[in-house]
Amino acid sequence: MADKHSHDHGHHHSANKKALFISFLLIASFMVLEVIGGFVTNSLALLSDAGHMLSDTVALGMSLLAFKLGEKASDQEKTYGYKRFEILAAFLNGIALIAISFYILWESIQRFIDPPEVASTGMLIIAAIGLLVNILVAWILMKGDTSENLNLRSAFLHVLGDLLGSIGAIIAALLIMFAGWNYADPIASAIVAVLVLVSGIRVTKDSFHVLMEGTPSNINLEEVKSTIVEIDGVQSIHDVHIWNITSDFPSFTCHIVVRQTCDRDQLLQLIGKKLQEQFDLTHTTIQMECDTSEIKHQEKNCN
């Protein structure tokens, strides 16, 4: 079972890294085109989307670096290696999303007060290309493990925000083109900024939870405790800790009070099997302690 878990983890890791690398190349290439197009057409919607794409490029680059560093072997100074760097990358990505969203909101307010002329045809063409690129990148990233891997999920949310940004820019370009409504440009930017803000807060909150060694959201602590206590030979459990070293790498430690007569090796194997099968906990440390009341009772009888 442990070998299968390691194999699956390695397979996901390889798929995630490949998805990130291809996405990084596509996003970085289009970002340059969108920056040029934003200045040429004088479109804030395009420039805000390009700003978000810049954060995407940084996010994807950091995510790639995180995966690469995560491959480094553990040593005496870092016994878990560099696996947690990907959570730091996700946290910084979340902060970047929040900062960019506030900047876009500020710029859109300025433009709403005094809307400039926008070259809508060029804006429409570039936004349409951006939409296709973002759909392709989102599809590539979905091939990875976006449900379990927080680092990859943060990159995926960046791209989703971009995709929405491209849709907003297309709608704004059409409104300017056919209705002459220049307010569409800052409004589209503001809507994207709010969506980006929501994504940023979510990623920051999730990664902060991991950094604070919070209990993984998919594991019920009380359920784990009751499962162990129900095993024959276990009398009580305390000092229970469940946390994530990084995405899809939960760790578990506890102290259990056991009957003096029980077979500890057999009990340890049984607990380990239940934790793995029911909660997918494979990295566990369990300390066993004797029931002191039993020892005192035996001493009293001897006297």
Side-chain angles (χ1 to χ4, degrees), residues 124-189:
L124 179 63
I125 292 167
I126 293 166
I129 296 169
L131 179 62
L132 293 173
V133 170
N134 282 309
I135 289 171
L136 178 60
V137 171
W139 179 77
I140 291 168
L141 288 175
M142 279 177 71
K143 294 289 183 183
D145 190 22
T146 52
S147 61
E148 294 293 329
N149 190 283
L150 186 58
N151 186 31
L152 194 71
R153 181 149 50 100
S154 70
F156 179 69
L157 286 171
H158 269 275
V159 174
L160 274 188
D162 255 341
L163 197 150
L164 293 167
S166 296
I167 292 171
I170 289 170
I171 294 169
L174 290 170
L175 285 170
I176 294 165
M177 190 181 293
F178 294 107
W181 201 46
N182 285 334
Y183 286 113
D185 186 56
I187 288 171
S189 304

Side-chain angles (χ1 to χ4, degrees), residues 211-267:
L211 291 172
M212 292 301 293
E213 300 190 343
T215 304
S217 57
N218 62 323
I219 298 175
N220 186 313
L221 183 64
E222 291 305 316
E223 194 178 333
V224 173
K225 287 162 73 173
S226 62
T227 300
I228 293 173
V229 171
E230 284 168 9
I231 297 171
D232 187 41
V234 178
Q235 294 188 312
S236 64
I237 183 169
H238 60 278
D239 288 341
V240 184
H241 301 283
I242 308 175
W243 72 102
N244 272 326
I245 302 300
T246 185
S247 299
D248 61 16
F249 187 177
S251 289
F252 172 82
T253 64
C254 74
H255 289 211
I256 56 174
V257 177
V258 299
R259 285 205 306 268
Q260 197 177 10
T261 54
C262 74
D263 185 331
R264 293 192 176 198
D265 290 336
Q266 190 176 4
L267 183 60

Side-chain angles (χ1 to χ4, degrees), residues 12 22 29 33 38 52 57 59 67 93 97 105 140-141 147 183 205 208 210 234 238 248 266 289:
H12 284 315
I22 296 168
S29 302
L33 174 66
H52 190 212
T57 307
F67 277 118
N93 288 347
L97 280 170
L105 276 170
I140 291 168
L141 288 175
S147 61
Y183 286 113
K205 183 183 172 185
F208 183 73
V210 175
V234 178
H238 60 278
D248 61 16
Q266 190 176 4
E289 302 164 359

Side-chain angles (χ1 to χ4, degrees), residues 104-133:
I104 295 169
L105 276 170
W106 172 254
E107 283 295 318
S108 63
I109 290 166
Q110 301 304 309
R111 287 209 170 196
F112 195 76
I113 295 166
D114 183 23
E117 287 296 319
V118 177
S120 54
T121 306
M123 177 182 172
L124 179 63
I125 292 167
I126 293 166
I129 296 169
L131 179 62
L132 293 173
V133 170

Side-chain angles (χ1 to χ4, degrees), residues 77-112:
E77 288 187 353
K78 294 177 179 63
T79 54
Y80 282 115
Y82 291 79
K83 295 185 185 299
R84 183 156 279 201
F85 183 84
E86 74 173 56
I87 301 299
L88 283 170
F91 181 74
L92 292 172
N93 288 347
I95 296 293
L97 280 170
I98 293 168
I100 286 165
S101 66
F102 278 120
Y103 174 74
I104 295 169
L105 276 170
W106 172 254
E107 283 295 318
S108 63
I109 290 166
Q110 301 304 309
R111 287 209 170 196
F112 195 76

